[in-house]
């Protein structure tokens, strides 16, 4: 019963929206808005073939590499800065400056510095995804309970062991919030990076469809992006439940009390 209820919550609103779309487009033909049946047919014809390998797969690989690199760099640098008060004071103005720069503005600069290749597209993704992870890591480390720090010092826990057994577990809930934000940013930047000087990828293909007035094909590309976003969300939730199992258990106990 619980499983059926979860499935109902998961599919209820999408089915309602799909039914509304079907009713709204069944009365009159609209060049700019395809019917669900037309879109489904176009989706299969467009993406269930060669484009899956030449456009979708390379885009997903670049997205995954960029996001993972941003997470590793953000957590590593965030721990280094968060654990050192002097470093926090020195780097805060610089971080705020670069965080305020829209990543798409950096695309021409990265094209000159890195070149027109996959490295440039990955660098664009990293340049936007790293900030929520980095800043949330710094904030998570900074806000650790002082009692925990005193307890670690009392028991002689220091260095790498302190980071592993005290700092990271305490900061992980805040870090995971930053990771959740960086996933959606990464998907947006993946598309934007492929709109500049590119000959393949989802962003490039969708723009080509738009310029050639292939409207159903353009909408089908947008659906692909949405499905990738949903898949990323489910993967993140699965990872979060395992990484923060202790945290959710603690919250359940606190709520029960």
């Amino acid at each position: 019963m619980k499983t059926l209820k979860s499935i109902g919550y998961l599919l209820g609103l999408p089915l309602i929206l799909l039914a509304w779309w079907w009713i709204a487009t069944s009365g009159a033909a609209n060049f700019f808005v395809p019917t669900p049946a037309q879109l489904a047919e176009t989706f299969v014809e467009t993406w269930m073939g060669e484009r899956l390998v030449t456009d979708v797969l390379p885009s997903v690989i670049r997205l995954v590499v960029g996001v993972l690199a941003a997470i590793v760099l953000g957590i590593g640098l965030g721990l280094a800065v968060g654990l050192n008060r002097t470093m926090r004071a020195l780097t805060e103005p610089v971080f705020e400056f670069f965080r305020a720069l829209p990543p798409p503005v950096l695309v021409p600069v990265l094209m000159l510095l890195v070149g027109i290749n996959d490295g440039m597209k990955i660098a664009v993704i990293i340049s936007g995804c790293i900030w929520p992870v980095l800043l949330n890591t710094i904030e998570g480390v900074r806000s650790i309970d002082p009692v925990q720090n005193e307890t670690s010092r009392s028991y002689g826990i220091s260095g790498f062991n302190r980071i592993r057994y005290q700092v990271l577990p305490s900061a992980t809930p805040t870090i995971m919030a930053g990771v959740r934000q960086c996933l959606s940013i990464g998907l947006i930047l993946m598309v934007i990076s492929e709109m500049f000087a590119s000959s393949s990828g989802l962003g490039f293909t969708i723009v080509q469809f738009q310029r050639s007035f292939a409207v159903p094909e353009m909408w089908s590309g947008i659906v692909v992006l949405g499905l990738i976003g949903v898949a990323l969300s489910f993967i993140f939730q699965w990872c979060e439940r395992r990484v923060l199992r202790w945290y959710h258990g603690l919250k359940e106990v606190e709520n029960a009390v």
Side-chain angles (χ1 to χ4, degrees):
M1 186 65 183
K2 187 177 179 181
T3 303
L4 292 176
K5 189 175 180 181
S6 300
I7 294 174
Y9 281 131
L10 181 66
L11 299 179
L13 183 58
L15 290 176
I16 292 172
L17 293 174
L18 186 62
W20 175 79
W21 176 20
W22 194 293
I23 294 171
T25 57
S26 61
N30 189 322
F31 177 77
F32 298 103
V33 182
T35 64
Q38 183 183 6
L39 182 59
E41 181 181 354
T42 303
F43 179 89
V44 173
E45 292 176 354
T46 305
W47 301 107
M48 296 294 106
E50 183 181 356
R51 278 200 176 91
L52 185 65
V53 177
T54 59
D55 291 318
V56 179
L57 189 58
S59 293
V60 172
I61 291 174
R62 287 191 288 265
L63 173 63
V64 171
V65 172
V67 168
L68 289 179
I71 292 172
V72 172
L73 291 172
I75 293 176
L77 187 56
L79 288 173
V81 174
L83 290 170
N84 191 307
R85 188 174 300 175
T86 304
M87 282 280 288
R88 286 204 304 268
L90 289 173
T91 57
E92 184 176 5
V94 178
F95 286 164
E96 291 299 327
F97 173 81
F98 283 105
R99 184 175 71 91
L101 295 176
V105 175
L106 300 176
V107 172
V109 178
L110 292 173
M111 288 173 62
L112 293 174
L113 296 177
V114 182
I116 302 175
N117 50 36
D118 286 347
M120 181 274 290
K121 300 178 180 69
I122 293 172
V124 171
I125 296 172
I126 295 173
S127 68
C129 291
I130 191 172
W131 298 112
V133 181
L134 172 61
L135 297 177
N136 276 41
T137 302
I138 294 173
E139 181 59 27
V141 174
R142 188 190 64 80
S143 60
I144 292 175
D145 189 349
V147 176
Q148 290 187 8
N149 293 328
E150 292 297 330
T151 304
S152 296
R153 276 192 283 269
S154 299
Y155 282 97
I157 302 174
S158 60
F160 177 75
N161 285 334
R162 177 173 174 253
I163 293 175
R164 179 182 179 185
Y165 295 110
Q166 186 226 334
V167 175
L168 272 178
S170 299
T172 298
T174 309
I175 294 173
M176 294 302 288
V179 172
R180 178 186 287 274
Q181 295 175 35
C182 92
L183 293 177
S184 58
I185 294 173
L187 186 58
I188 294 169
L189 293 177
M190 177 198 78
V191 176
I192 292 175
S193 68
E194 292 171 350
M195 291 180 175
F196 295 89
S198 180
S199 59
S200 65
L202 274 169
F204 168 80
T205 305
I206 291 172
V207 170
Q208 291 300 109
F209 287 149
Q210 181 261 329
R211 289 174 177 171
S212 59
F213 293 96
V215 177
E217 287 79 3
M218 180 191 71
W219 279 103
S220 70
I222 296 172
V223 171
V224 172
L225 291 175
L227 293 176
I228 293 174
V230 171
L232 287 175
S233 177
F234 285 143
I235 293 171
F236 173 81
Q237 292 176 29
W238 182 83
C239 295
E240 185 185 41
R241 281 196 298 268
R242 278 146 185 79
V243 172
L244 295 179
R245 184 180 302 165
W246 63 272
Y247 178 76
H248 294 306
L250 180 62
K251 288 298 180 182
E252 289 178 2
V253 173
E254 291 178 351
N255 293 333
V257 174

